[in-house]
Amino acid sequence: MLVNGQIADSISIEDRGLLYGDGIFETIICEQGQAILFDQHIARLQQGCEALELARQNETTLQSEIMDVAQGEDCVIKVLVTRGSRMRGYRYDANDETHTRIVYRSPLPEIPDTFYHQGITLGLSEYRLPSNQALAGIKHLNRLDQVLACRGWEDDYSEKIVLDNDGLIIEGTMSNVFIEMNGKLKTPVLLRSGVAGVMRQWLVEHANLMDIEVIQSELNLEDLKQADAIFVCNSVVGIWPVTKFIDQNFPISSNTRTLMTFIRDKLSNLYIAL
């Protein structure tokens, strides 16, 4: 692990990231030490820094540190930027560029091949996400909403949908959601809550190359139930087709298969295709 570019195995107990969740992070998959979707991850990290008035990060430094920590291996790299250790209290000086930058490595997650070839069963979380336009889209360190969304998790489900207080679909507990209707893809618009995932954004920008239209709009459970097909995605696992939502079955559509092959061919062999 690197902390501000130095090998370390701990951070200060006074770090605001630990005390208040005052910071942001990115989780990046690496193939043979090369960060996949690096530019997109760093763009979102910089957007998060701007939203929280954190010091903008040097992209060359980040790329170098990620490569040093990855050591040429297939792995997952997590980059965290906190407001660092300052005086106690919630207030801060936006002109003070003190921060803590952490880069560390973990193994690739062990994911059953059946998640890709046979699809997953999707559940519904009882937790509801609050609206907060100031934090919508960014990946800040306070993940209590996601922790609470995972309460009472039944083993029958591989992922769960999370709604907001108005009953609109926002995301999965760790993924973004796409539904297919009449050959078009729809994904929840994330103006009031949720994380604008890097894989989600990449698919929105590139699906047109496959002649697939993507629409960002408000979606509810009725839209989900009437969908022709469903998948969830993130930048670590790629795409998981959904073949069952609670007790309703769905097929794996040709568009889902096409996109799974597309991200493997264009991004990384670590993403499993059908």
Side-chain angles (χ1 to χ4, degrees):
M1 179 173 76
L2 296 178
V3 178
N4 293 329
Q6 304 298 314
I7 297 174
D9 58 8
S10 63
I11 63 170
S12 170
I13 197 172
E14 296 179 343
D15 193 283
R16 289 177 63 97
L18 175 63
L19 293 178
Y20 309 130
D22 188 359
I24 56 174
F25 73 101
E26 293 291 327
T27 306
I28 306 171
I29 192 171
C30 290
E31 182 179 21
Q32 297 181 2
Q34 297 298 312
I36 307 303
L37 292 170
F38 173 82
D39 289 342
Q40 290 83 351
H41 278 291
I42 298 308
R44 184 176 61 179
L45 182 140
Q46 302 289 30
Q47 290 169 2
C49 286
E50 182 178 351
L52 298 185
E53 296 187 311
L54 292 166
R56 186 175 177 85
Q57 299 300 297
N58 183 289
E59 297 179 12
T60 301
T61 298
L62 282 173
Q63 187 171 36
S64 176
E65 291 181 354
I66 289 170
M67 292 181 66
D68 287 347
V69 173
Q71 296 182 347
E73 298 181 3
D74 295 344
C75 62
V76 175
I77 295 292
K78 196 164 186 175
V79 178
L80 304 92
V81 179
T82 81
R83 208 175 301 277
S85 300
R86 305 188 187 185
M87 61 184 295
R88 290 190 70 253
Y90 296 132
R91 295 179 63 183
Y92 65 91
D93 179 359
N95 294 316
D96 182 349
E97 295 192 350
T98 300
H99 69 278
T100 302
R101 184 181 66 258
I102 303 167
V103 181
Y104 75 90
R105 180 181 68 184
S106 58
L108 292 175
E110 295 183 6
I111 303 171
D113 287 347
T114 55
F115 282 23
Y116 299 94
H117 299 304
Q118 298 176 23
I120 66 166
T121 298
L122 190 65
L124 177 64
S125 175
E126 295 181 358
Y127 183 74
R128 297 293 180 262
L129 290 172
S131 295
N132 187 338
Q133 291 182 338
L135 297 178
I138 69 173
K139 203 162 186 179
H140 53 82
L141 286 177
N142 194 322
R143 296 288 95 197
L144 275 178
D145 284 326
Q146 285 63 43
V147 171
L148 294 176
C150 291
R151 286 189 302 191
W153 192 292
E154 303 88 346
D155 290 339
D156 294 340
Y157 302 120
S158 303
E159 174 62 310
K160 284 190 174 186
I161 290 288
V162 190
L163 310 179
D164 67 7
N165 287 320
D166 293 325
L168 296 175
I169 297 170
I170 301 300
E171 58 194 0
T173 64
M174 62 171 187
S175 63
N176 291 116
V177 182
F178 286 78
I179 69 172
E180 184 175 339
M181 286 183 164
N182 300 319
K184 299 179 181 180
L185 292 180
K186 295 184 177 183
T187 190
V189 63
L190 302 175
L191 299 178
R192 299 185 299 174
S193 58
V195 175
V198 163
M199 181 60 75
R200 170 189 180 273
Q201 186 60 36
W202 193 87
L203 289 172
V204 167
E205 294 174 354
H206 290 83
N208 65 308
L209 298 178
M210 300 287 97
D211 294 322
I212 301 172
E213 182 180 355
V214 181
I215 301 169
Q216 299 181 56
S217 63
E218 292 185 346
L219 298 173
N220 57 38
L221 284 179
E222 194 59 32
D223 294 317
L224 189 73
K225 293 175 182 178
Q226 293 181 2
D228 299 320
I230 308 169
F231 68 81
V232 298
C233 66
N234 70 32
S235 61
V236 173
V237 307
I239 289 175
W240 286 349
V242 174
T243 48
K244 192 173 185 179
F245 173 58
I246 304 178
D247 56 1
Q248 182 177 350
N249 295 320
F250 294 87
I252 301 176
S253 72
S254 60
N255 279 341
T256 300
R257 296 174 186 273
T258 295
L259 290 172
M260 291 177 73
T261 300
F262 186 56
I263 65 171
R264 182 202 60 191
D265 294 345
K266 295 295 183 181
L267 294 178
S268 172
N269 287 323
L270 296 177
Y271 296 126
I272 295 178
L274 293 179

